Amino acid sequence: MSLLRELNRLKALRPLDDALAHSLRRLDPDTHDDVLAAAALASLAVAQGHAGFDPANPRRLVDADVAWPQADAWIAQLAASRFVATPDTPEAPAASAPLVLEHGLLYLRRYREYERRLALQLRRIASHPMAGTGLDAIAPLFAQIFPSPLEGEGGAQRRERGEQHDDAQARAAALALRRALLLVTGGPGTGKTTTIARLLVLRIAQARADAVAPPRIALAAPTGRAADRMAESLRQAAQGLRALGIDDGLLDALPTGASTLHRLLGVIPESPDFRHHAGHPLPLDLLVVDEASMVDLPLMCKLAEAVPDGAQLILLGDPDQLPSVEAGDVLAAILEAAGAGEALRPDDADALQPLLGDAPRLADAPAGLHGHRVHLRRGWRQHDSLQLAPLAEAVRAGDAARTLDLLRPGQLANVHRHEADADPLQDPALGLLAHFRALAAATDPAVALRQTQRLRLLTALREGPHGARGLNARIEAALSGRRIGSPPAWYPGRLLLVTENTYRHGLFNGDVGICLPDAEGALLAWFAEPGGHGARAFHPAALPAHDSAFAMTVHKAQGSEFDTVWLQLPRQDARVLSRELLYTGITRARAALHVAGGAEVIAAALSRHASRVSGLGWRLSAAVG
């Protein structure tokens, strides 16, 4: 049996994947079946979040006992096909062909071009020298914002022991004065947004010292919720700086709001393109992007192309979170090229000596983006009643024994483990249905939307009784009185999750709304205004595609936080489970966490990485300055 027929028999391919293979066969009936099967698998790879298909490891995509071709022979067949381009260099555009074979990966041409263009743009941004005056002029401000840990109480003893000033937040802020491309990574509560507020103040002060206009700054994130959280965190950080006595003029120049990436780039209705691009770049000097792990390959490519020459791009993210829902694991690939980012390059340490003193140096740094990343470790944001850091660290490390031990009763305050068959709808301590019924009685939609962040049910799967769809059906039936399986009803308190972008209304994939009556009693769908202040109403018939949002997949919850989280895992192991999924799910909780899952399932998840096939990392390995 041919490979393509066998994959279809196993229902491993989507109709779209099979259609691509058959289109190529119609164009050239002599095309080898293994080439057609590879084309279908390259299409399937994108649907599963990969940038390309690896013929040397096909079971990573389709875990089935089929007669896979020998890798070298398969690659040779692909290289000889008229439908497969083989570029001469990584920088060269691929010839006009539906597929591209490069560095051992088979791409749909569009996604190879996204990788190539993104690598070129990031190298362009990173290689641009930073303009500005010498750092002596802002050294007093830097010392005020980042007091050295070698000063003050205990500082003399630390100096006697030969300890160095190694404050990662200070190094990140200092590098922002040197690097046009900066990566700031760290887990929840490690101070990424606080660091950004401080480095923006320094950039504004630097412009003042040069007697030029302050930089035009934009803040952006992949979702509206993440953008609102970013803006609110920056406002809080600015208040903290004001308490330190930082000049009001500097603080007043900080941005007060953040945008989604789609709004920032300017959506063109019914088009995959944006208003801002390489030929019409964004009107800014400095762009900060939060939750960079959520940004997929096509969007990051278009964003980088829209960054003007000489502008600075700062990416914030948690490298241990899930990758983007769509194709590509962009942040992981960039960090692969950047390395650990634990110390300064010698040239940076020399230039930044007025600010950082004898900071540790990175000797003989390899090529690539080394010297462009700072990883923050100190501190962890958490509610006084939730000590989540030990559990998050164990999950991040994939330590199943430690994780299961910490999930035992009494080990961590407000962390609870339940068996997989535990019913979150019936747990009296959780009060899930009571919470959702209380939302239905709200009279102010803006207040109700804020209250939705108090509690959320997160799932690993979309389908099945323990998936988001099955749990939402049960919750809807309990709240609306309709039978499970009935078409979704409109009733007060229904939570909605937008699943596609609608630019005319300014609603985007991932936005959460609530159904409540207006002053005249008409039932409307309410969503938060951009910036998080107030709510705007839509007639239900005018909404784009949407689901109920009482239960959400962990992927959909990225960029959000909730006071209490119930993380529901399936009864049996599933390929979607990974340590990144568990880490992302548990770190959505602020005050209380419930994990429902068997020990074997949790251990299996921790043994698996949610990695993606990509060539972006090696493309970025060339020297960028």
Side-chain angles (χ1 to χ4, degrees):
M1 181 181 292
S2 76
L3 178 58
L4 182 62
R5 190 174 300 131
E6 178 69 2
L7 292 172
N8 277 311
R9 185 188 70 80
L10 294 170
K11 295 182 170 50
L13 301 176
R14 304 170 302 155
L16 181 63
D17 310 324
D18 187 54
L20 172 61
H22 283 284
S23 295
L24 299 182
R25 174 175 283 156
R26 284 193 299 271
L27 291 170
D28 186 349
D30 294 330
T31 302
H32 197 284
D33 178 80
D34 289 350
V35 173
L36 299 176
L41 290 168
S43 174
L44 177 65
V46 170
Q48 292 192 8
H50 304 287
F53 166 61
D54 184 0
N57 191 11
R59 293 191 66 147
R60 183 172 179 179
L61 191 64
V62 178
D63 190 10
D65 292 322
V66 300
W68 295 108
Q70 198 275 332
D72 290 342
W74 202 359
I75 289 173
Q77 284 180 327
L78 291 168
S81 171
R82 58 174 287 200
F83 296 124
V84 180
T86 54
D88 294 331
T89 67
E91 294 80 12
S96 182
L99 302 166
V100 179
L101 181 67
E102 188 177 29
H103 209 69
L105 300 182
L106 183 69
Y107 296 88
L108 296 182
R109 182 180 185 276
R110 176 185 300 177
Y111 285 85
R112 186 270 178 179
E113 289 301 294
Y114 282 140
E115 271 198 359
R116 179 188 70 85
R117 288 160 47 193
L118 176 56
L120 290 175
Q121 293 303 320
L122 290 176
R123 290 165 64 183
R124 169 185 67 88
I125 296 167
S127 63
H128 199 283
M130 290 288 290
T133 187
L135 302 182
D136 291 326
I138 59 172
L141 175 63
F142 190 95
Q144 184 181 4
I145 293 176
F146 293 104
S148 170
L150 301 185
E151 304 298 332
E153 184 177 354
Q157 291 84 353
R158 288 191 291 269
R159 286 194 299 274
E160 288 177 2
R161 292 194 297 266
E163 295 184 14
Q164 295 175 310
H165 181 187
D166 189 22
D167 189 303
Q169 292 190 15
R171 283 187 284 120
L175 268 181
L177 306 173
R178 289 273 295 165
R179 295 291 176 202
L181 176 65
L182 181 63
L183 314 170
V184 181
T185 58
T190 50
K192 296 188 293 293
T193 309
T194 300
T195 302
I196 291 303
R198 296 178 177 187
L199 71 83
L200 292 181
V201 167
L202 291 169
R203 286 295 316 276
I204 295 166
Q206 187 179 37
R208 177 186 288 184
D210 287 340
V212 297
R216 297 167 297 171
I217 302 169
L219 309 177
T223 67
R225 184 66 190 164
D228 291 344
R229 280 183 49 217
M230 183 187 191
E232 179 59 29
S233 296
L234 191 75
R235 287 192 290 268
Q236 292 176 359
Q239 290 303 314
L241 291 173
R242 204 177 300 275
L244 289 177
I246 303 302
D247 184 352
D248 285 344
L250 298 175
L251 298 176
D252 291 343
L254 290 172
T256 57
S259 167
T260 64
L261 292 173
H262 285 83
R263 289 192 184 100
L264 176 75
L265 290 171
V267 171
I268 301 174
E270 312 302 327
S271 170
D273 298 321
F274 293 101
R275 300 189 188 281
H276 291 287
H277 46 76
H280 182 220
L282 291 161
L284 52 78
D285 304 300
L286 197 164
L287 172 60
V288 183
V289 178
D290 198 9
E291 299 287 356
S293 64
M294 297 174 62
V295 185
D296 59 57
L297 175 61
L299 183 56
M300 188 67 86
C301 174
K302 295 171 184 178
L303 175 69
E305 288 182 330
V307 174
D309 285 338
Q312 186 175 29
L313 175 62
I314 300 175
L315 301 177
L316 311 181
D318 186 344
D320 298 308
Q321 283 194 174
L322 280 167
S324 61
V325 176
E326 306 299 334
D329 191 354
V330 175
L331 181 63
I334 298 173
L335 297 181
E336 175 189 336
E342 294 304 317
L344 300 172
R345 289 179 5 179
D347 58 331
D348 291 323
D350 289 338
L352 297 174
Q353 198 276 333
L355 304 183
L356 294 176
D358 296 326
R361 303 182 180 210
L362 180 64
D364 301 321
L369 295 176
H370 285 255
H372 291 255
R373 177 193 180 187
V374 176
H375 186 63
L376 308 180
R377 299 181 184 277
R378 202 185 315 176
W380 195 282
R381 178 187 60 250
Q382 54 195 2
H383 194 278
D384 290 342
S385 62
L386 178 64
Q387 302 299 311
L388 193 60
L391 179 62
E393 179 58 27
V395 170
R396 188 198 65 78
D399 188 336
R402 175 68 171 156
T403 298
L404 291 169
D405 181 61
L406 289 171
L407 287 172
R408 289 190 299 110
Q411 294 299 301
L412 296 174
N414 278 337
V415 174
H416 313 275
R417 182 184 155 219
H418 312 264
E419 291 303 319
D421 57 359
D423 189 351
L425 277 67
Q426 301 300 324
D427 188 283
L430 189 67
L432 190 77
L433 293 177
H435 167 69
F436 290 136
R437 289 190 175 108
L439 293 177
T443 56
D444 185 336
V447 172
L449 286 168
R450 288 193 292 272
Q451 290 298 310
T452 65
Q453 304 303 305
R454 288 182 48 214
L455 173 63
R456 194 61 54 88
L457 178 56
L458 303 184
T459 69
L461 305 178
R462 177 174 172 79
E463 305 296 340
H466 289 87
R469 183 163 288 179
L471 289 167
N472 272 320
R474 288 186 58 209
I475 294 170
E476 291 220 332
L479 297 179
S480 69
R482 298 166 65 91
R483 295 178 57 187
I484 295 178
S486 300
W490 295 100
Y491 53 89
R494 184 187 177 195
L495 294 188
L496 303 170
L497 176 70
V498 174
T499 57
E500 69 177 14
N501 296 330
T502 173
Y503 308 114
R504 183 164 59 93
H505 293 128
L507 294 175
F508 297 92
N509 189 355
D511 287 351
V512 172
I514 187 169
C515 294
L516 289 173
D518 64 6
E520 284 72 40
L523 194 61
L524 300 174
W526 300 83
F527 291 83
E529 291 279 9
H533 302 289
R536 50 198 174 125
F538 298 88
H539 191 280
L543 292 178
H546 57 273
D547 290 327
S548 292
F550 302 107
M552 299 168 61
T553 64
V554 173
H555 256 121
K556 290 292 187 182
Q558 280 187 271
S560 297
E561 289 182 334
F562 312 96
D563 291 345
T564 299
V565 164
W566 178 295
L567 175 59
Q568 182 71 52
L569 302 177
R571 293 185 180 180
Q572 297 180 331
D573 187 26
R575 289 185 65 188
V576 71
L577 293 176
S578 66
R579 68 180 66 175
E580 289 81 6
L581 184 141
L582 291 184
Y583 175 88
T584 304
I586 67 172
T587 55
R588 301 309 92 200
R590 284 187 295 234
L593 171 68
H594 298 257
V595 178
E600 292 184 359
V601 169
I602 292 173
L606 292 174
S607 70
R608 186 182 295 120
H609 274 296
S611 59
R612 300 279 178 82
V613 174
S614 167
L616 182 60
W618 68 264
R619 293 181 197 279
L620 289 168
S621 62
V624 295

